[in-house]
Amino acid sequence: KAGVTQTPRYLIKTRGQQVTLSCSPISGHRSVSWYQQTPGQGLQFLFEYFSETQRNKGNFPGRFSGRQFSNSRSEMNVSTLELGDSALYLCASSFRPDRDYEQYFGPGTRLTVT
Amino acid sequence: TQLLEQSPQFLSIQEGENLTVYCNSSSVFSSLQWYRQEPGEGPVLLVTVVTGGEVKKLKRLTFQFGDARKDSSLHITAAQPGDTGLYLCAGAQGGGSNYKLTFGKGTLLTVNP
């Protein structure tokens, strides 16, 4: 079956703009997690959605938001972009958020803020 | 403060050498996962260890979970260029609606031919 897909793969924005990233999970998976990956901080958890509800949220400012649709597809939005938001944004899907279910990552969206 | 510390941060070796990378924490985890991430791709799960002291082998890769479930190691025998990548460990805590996965910063391994 098809893997996790993320669009777009690359994005260049300027400071102050906003951006929306999309993630389509593996068919049948209802849990989607978002992560920010930078060389300095590594993989940091943003938030997780399960059955359209935000279940967990990491320590990121309110400029970072997300949502999940009834078909389990998820979007994350970053408003008022800052240079420090430049990163690889990864989403991962699993059947449900539990240690018994493997998490599959997408290839990521590389966001560059200038 | 990083919950999971991975060492070394960078490792460059020659093909055929053996290596060990470490994942350490002061926290107890219900399970620990190891991932490999190649350039331009997302992390791919290699193994999950659940029981303290557990050892799992995946071809030339050997994973061990510490007895106290606070640390783990990954040993690669006779490394090959195809092993090049970022190795990430992730610790799981809680269960059900409280399930949470925390990642280390990773060890970037380069195997030179």
Side-chain angles (χ1 to χ4, degrees), chain A:
Chain A
K1 52 186 175 183
V4 178
T5 58
Q6 292 188 246
T7 56
R9 290 293 310 273
Y10 302 92
L11 204 50
I12 300 175
K13 291 284 189 179
T14 57
R15 277 182 299 176
Q17 288 186 314
Q18 74 163 17
V19 66
T20 299
L21 311 181
S22 180
C23 172
S24 292
I26 291 172
S27 178
H29 285 191
R30 293 185 294 156
S31 172
V32 173
S33 297
W34 287 90
Y35 296 86
Q36 180 195 66
Q37 187 176 32
T38 60
Q41 298 300 318
L43 252 168
Q44 293 190 290
F45 172 73
L46 280 158
F47 27 66
E48 178 197 359
Y49 287 87
F50 178 61
S51 295
E52 301 179 66
T53 301
Q54 186 179 89
R55 204 179 66 88
N56 275 318
K57 190 177 191 307
N59 295 323
F60 278 81
R63 300 185 296 107
F64 292 81
S65 63
R67 59 178 176 169
Q68 186 180 33
F69 302 96
S70 58
N71 62 358
S72 294
R73 190 178 69 86
S74 179
E75 289 181 346
M76 67 163 282
N77 183 275
V78 187
S79 62
T80 319
L81 284 165
E82 301 177 359
L83 295 179
D85 297 333
S86 294
L88 181 66
Y89 289 88
L90 292 160
C91 86
S93 78
S94 66
F95 179 71
R96 60 181 299 130
D98 188 280
R99 76 173 196 181
D100 292 332
Y101 296 97
E102 182 178 340
Q103 191 170 220
Y104 295 83
F105 282 86
T109 294
R110 172 73 63 184
L111 172 65
T112 302
V113 182
T114 61

Side-chain angles (χ1 to χ4, degrees), chain B residues 31-53:
Chain B
S31 65
L32 197 135
Q33 301 174 359
W34 283 93
Y35 292 79
R36 181 170 64 216
Q37 184 178 18
E38 298 183 19
E41 300 296 330
V44 175
L45 181 66
L46 296 174
V47 78
T48 301
V49 284
V50 177
T51 307

